[in-house]
Amino acid sequence: MGDAHRIGVVGLGVISRAYLDTLAGHPAVRVTAVADLDASRSAAVAAELPGVEALPVEELLRSPDVDTVLNLTTPAAHAGIALGAIRHGKHVYGEKPLAAGMDEAREVMAAAARAGVRVGCAPDTVLGTGVQTARAAVAAGSIGRPLFASAVMVTPGHERWHPHPDFYYTAGGGPLLDMGPYYLSSLVHLLGPVRAVVGAAGRLRTERVIGSGPRAGERIPVEVDSHVSGVLEHVNGTLTTLTTSFDGVATTAAPIEVHGERGTLAVPDPNRFDGEVRLHALGDTRWQPLPASAGYEDGARGVGLLDFLAADGRRANGEVALHVLDTMTALLRSAAEGRRIELTTTAQVPAPVPLTAVADWRGQATPSPA
């Protein structure tokens, strides 16, 4: 373990457990420190993990025993933590979105470039067998030339299950900035970067009621749009219609469908690593499931960080995250201003993920961290 890449985790909320389950004990990395604004929480997590130290946030960011900071804070804190880590020469891998706004996100990327460190960002679900198998099918010409796509995310809202859902309804939250990265990152992998957008949005309720935990029944304000729709113009000419909503109960729409000249591809939930990819070829009478042909098998949160540290990986990178954030903020701006918005960024489509057995990505054949 002496040569393992050292990880310090900042932010120990709900999602941290999924990351720690993947990273703790992995031969390529070693979690050395954890930090949270709630010192008792970080102490409790450290007590469960041998060799892990609970530190104050600022102390973790400058710790000589940390090579990469895993930033799992709420969106409003993403940029501040990232910039603090970069100032101390650390690489940063964060939860999505890259930052609450484009100015902060650009500052993070510029600071990292000056410091010679790398920035990675979730989601890494797009590296699983679901999206990667669909991507391989598109690349193989299974649907012919892609013409248009649809992406739909509808839920009543996270306050039903999250005990502290406030941040979902403040700056950096909402259905688009919270769930949109899964869909938009997948669309970049499937269809390439976006050139321009047209958006519409609404805020249909001014408050929400927490449904679980110690604050159940408490009302919280809604400060962001809770329903966002739009059209994305991809650089390759493909059009995607997008809907993200915290205002619906359910939907029968496929999470993502890609329509081509010779067929339609149904892509599974991009918030998951796996799921069935289905193809309906022109002239067929039914949908045909496609066997997994690409991606990390049995993926879990944290596989993107492992890929980010591998010399031949780095697919969940800051460039894609910046472009996804640009797409989302442009949609919101378009909705507010009532006009088409051209994006100011682009991104190179990350390399595809070959079908990788679970034993490999868990470390037995993982490249040494760079």
Side-chain angles (χ1 to χ4, degrees):
M1 297 295 290
D3 295 328
H5 195 92
R6 299 167 299 179
I7 306 294
V9 183
V10 179
L12 300 171
V14 174
I15 198 63
S16 66
R17 176 50 57 190
Y19 277 92
L20 290 170
D21 286 346
T22 296
L23 300 174
H26 191 287
V29 299
R30 179 161 58 96
V31 178
T32 56
V34 295
D36 193 274
L37 291 179
D38 183 345
S40 63
R41 180 186 288 176
S42 56
V45 171
E48 298 175 3
L49 302 172
V52 175
E53 188 176 9
L55 297 174
V57 172
E58 288 299 323
E59 190 172 333
L60 184 148
L61 296 181
R62 63 174 181 263
S63 171
D65 293 325
V66 171
D67 302 311
T68 291
V69 171
L70 174 57
N71 183 5
L72 304 181
T73 57
T74 57
H78 284 181
I81 295 298
L83 290 169
I86 291 167
R87 278 196 298 272
H88 294 288
K90 317 296 186 189
H91 306 296
V92 180
Y93 184 95
E95 255 302 321
K96 46 75 190 169
L98 180 60
M102 281 297 289
D103 289 344
E104 290 181 331
R106 290 184 191 279
E107 185 180 0
V108 168
M109 296 300 292
R114 289 193 300 270
V117 299
R118 300 193 305 276
V119 176
C121 188
D124 54 5
T125 49
V126 299
L127 307 182
T129 54
V131 171
Q132 291 296 313
T133 294
R135 174 178 173 176
V138 172
S142 298
I143 62 171
R145 181 168 65 97
L147 301 175
F148 67 98
S150 61
V152 179
M153 192 291 300
V154 174
T155 174
H158 297 339
E159 73 276 6
R160 295 171 301 125
W161 56 269
H162 199 292
H164 301 286
D166 310 67
F167 68 93
Y168 289 117
Y169 298 100
T170 58
L176 182 62
L177 288 176
D178 176 53
M179 297 300 292
Y182 298 105
Y183 292 78
L184 292 169
S185 298
S186 298
L187 290 165
V188 169
H189 277 257
L190 292 165
L191 301 172
V194 177
R195 177 174 54 218
V197 302
V198 176
R203 192 177 313 174
L204 305 182
R205 281 175 276 177
T206 59
E207 61 182 17
R208 299 288 178 124
V209 179
I210 299 177
S212 64
R215 299 171 60 197
E218 181 181 336
R219 295 180 179 274
I220 58 174
V222 175
E223 300 174 4
V224 294
D225 290 324
S226 53
H227 181 103
V228 184
S229 297
V231 176
L232 318 177
E233 302 174 22
H234 293 267
V235 172
N236 66 3
T238 307
L239 298 176
T240 294
T241 57
L242 172 73
T243 298
T244 62
S245 183
F246 282 166
D247 290 320
V249 173
T251 179
T252 59
I256 297 176
E257 287 183 341
V258 183
H259 303 270
E261 291 178 317
R262 298 201 303 270
T264 292
L265 202 64
V267 184
D269 185 352
N271 193 19
R272 294 177 51 189
F273 286 86
D274 56 8
E276 185 177 73
V277 180
R278 296 180 296 135
L279 171 66
H280 199 301
L282 185 65
D284 283 356
T285 59
R286 66 180 68 182
W287 292 90
Q288 299 291 342
L290 300 182
S293 62
Y296 290 111
E297 292 184 322
D298 297 321
R301 256 56 172 199
V303 69
L305 173 55
L306 298 173
D307 183 275
F308 170 73
L309 296 174
D312 62 349
R314 304 174 189 173
R315 296 175 177 91
N317 59 62
E319 179 190 27
V320 171
L322 182 68
H323 182 61
V324 166
L325 182 61
D326 191 15
T327 304
M328 295 188 296
T329 54
L331 277 165
L332 294 172
R333 183 178 162 201
S334 173
E337 299 178 5
R339 65 184 182 94
R340 177 179 178 272
I341 301 289
E342 292 192 1
L343 270 62
T344 59
T345 66
T346 189
Q348 183 175 348
V349 179
V353 181
L355 188 62
T356 304
V358 62
D360 293 343
W361 75 256
R362 283 183 176 163
Q364 283 82 340
T366 299
S368 298

